[in-house]
Amino acid sequence: MDGSTSTVGKPAADYTITQDWAGYRPEQHAVWRTLFHRQAEILVDRAAPEFLAGIAALSVTADVIPDFRRLNEVLDRATGWRIVAVPGLVPDAIFFEHLAQRRFPSTCFIRRPDQLDYIQEPDVFHDIFGHVPMLVNPVFADYMQAYGQGGLKALGLGSLHRLARLYWYTVEFGLVRTPAGLRIYGSGIVSSHAESIYALDSDRPHRLGFDLMRIMRTNYRIDDVQETYFVIDGYDQLFDATRPDFTPYYAALQRLPDLKPGALLADDVPVARAGARS
Ligand code: PHE
Ligand code: FE
């Protein structure tokens, strides 16, 4: 094979491909620019300080879809994480193996201009703008690696659906309590215009204190904004609560019924939203 594009789009055994950065068209950079501006405007006083610090540290801007090679120089120096390009969702075992090695699998393609508000599968805006900034934070970076190791274990124990809920309600849709009020750190929220507002401002969803077992019992919605968010006090709480061996937790969960996404239990601890936003 001689053509320089011959490896582009052809997955390796670990599903990685090459981000063809020079191949993005101006219209594609324009979609990124629009998405970035829309989010930057509303996230200043909604996103977690650690997320905003990550964006700044990585010099992710509105100008262009970031070049993964440039991001990796910063990310590697900060926490030893690297972005690897993948064509789309990869098999669970492959995904966990990457995380366990501090490699974050990111898609390269960007949504079409008619998909600014909603797209079902992850694209480069969700993966890079949404996920990568938090990987600059040392505690969160360690949590993500531990999650990958836990994923490989959960696969072997037939409990992946439990652990997937933890990812969903923290990495994708997590809220954090700060002195200034509730803030967003979940990538599924920060990469969605509507949900960045709804998650903090709406009276509809439940906002409950982080509870590992409660989360692993709770189903989630993939086709609409969430009915329940879980609020952490900080990333140490997340890391400490998930440090123990989950094997007995998975066993105990088999005797407890699953909960609907919008369920509210007598001993749930709702987190006050009133006066939360400064
Ligand atoms: N401690 C968990 C286990 O033994 C692994 C894990 C770590 C899971 C961090 C999620 C997050 O399975
Ligand atoms: Fe995601």
Side-chain angles (χ1 to χ4, degrees):
M1 294 292 232
D2 58 342
S4 63
T5 57
S6 63
T7 57
V8 173
K10 194 170 92 192
D14 64 359
Y15 284 76
T16 57
I17 56 172
T18 305
Q19 181 197 29
D20 180 17
W21 189 77
Y24 288 118
R25 297 187 308 272
E27 314 88 81
Q28 295 178 308
H29 288 299
V31 169
W32 172 278
R33 193 174 312 125
T34 304
L35 289 166
F36 186 98
H37 280 311
R38 287 203 323 173
Q39 292 312 94
E41 194 187 329
I42 60 168
L43 289 178
V44 238
D45 61 350
R46 284 188 168 81
E50 295 76 13
F51 172 86
L52 297 172
I55 290 272
L58 293 161
S59 307
V60 170
T61 66
D63 302 349
V64 284
I65 297 169
D67 185 332
F68 295 177
R69 289 168 297 194
R70 190 189 64 72
L71 293 182
N72 278 340
E73 285 172 24
V74 186
L75 196 53
D76 191 29
R77 249 182 288 124
T79 55
W81 272 79
R82 301 183 47 78
I83 301 155
V84 291
V86 291
L89 292 174
V90 301
D92 296 325
I94 305 280
F95 180 68
F96 295 136
E97 189 61 48
H98 279 303
L99 296 186
Q101 305 289 333
R102 290 173 100 85
R103 290 191 299 258
F104 186 76
S106 171
T107 52
C108 306
F109 81 98
I110 188 133
R111 67 194 72 185
R112 297 188 314 260
D114 61 312
Q115 296 173 313
L116 294 184
D117 291 320
Y118 184 75
I119 174 168
Q120 175 114 20
E121 74 269 50
D123 73 340
V124 69
F125 186 73
H126 169 77
D127 284 332
I128 297 300
F129 182 90
H131 282 281
V132 174
M134 288 302 294
L135 292 174
V136 172
N137 180 268
V139 179
F140 197 84
D142 286 350
Y143 172 68
M144 286 287 279
Q145 177 179 25
Y147 184 91
Q149 292 159 343
L152 293 169
K153 189 161 103 187
L155 263 178
L157 294 170
S159 294
L160 190 55
H161 59 300
R162 310 278 183 207
L163 197 64
R165 292 169 184 166
L166 177 64
Y167 192 87
W168 191 265
Y169 284 116
T170 61
V171 177
E172 294 287 353
F173 292 95
L175 299 180
V176 59
R177 209 194 305 253
T178 80
L182 297 188
R183 292 292 184 267
I184 306 160
Y185 72 91
S187 35
I189 310 178
V190 291
S191 61
S192 160
H193 188 78
E195 196 151 2
S196 291
I197 296 168
Y198 169 92
L200 293 185
D201 294 1
S202 173
D203 289 331
R204 289 222 314 276
H206 303 306
R207 295 180 191 81
L208 307 176
F210 176 85
D211 177 336
L212 179 63
M213 293 299 267
R214 172 68 162 82
I215 288 176
M216 291 203 286
R217 292 174 63 191
T218 309
N219 282 294
Y220 54 81
R221 306 196 56 155
I222 61 161
D223 60 342
D224 203 349
V225 290
Q226 301 304 303
E227 292 174 55
T228 303
Y229 298 96
F230 290 91
V231 183
I232 59 171
D233 290 322
Y235 311 101
D236 284 320
Q237 179 188 25
L238 205 52
F239 194 57
D240 291 344
T242 53
R243 204 190 305 270
D245 179 5
F246 280 17
T247 311
Y249 296 174
Y250 295 144
L253 286 163
Q254 287 190 355
R255 296 184 292 272
L256 292 169
D258 277 356
L259 302 171
K260 292 203 171 88
L264 194 60
L265 304 181
D267 55 355
D268 279 337
V269 185
V271 173
R273 187 181 62 87
R277 293 201 52 230
S278 51

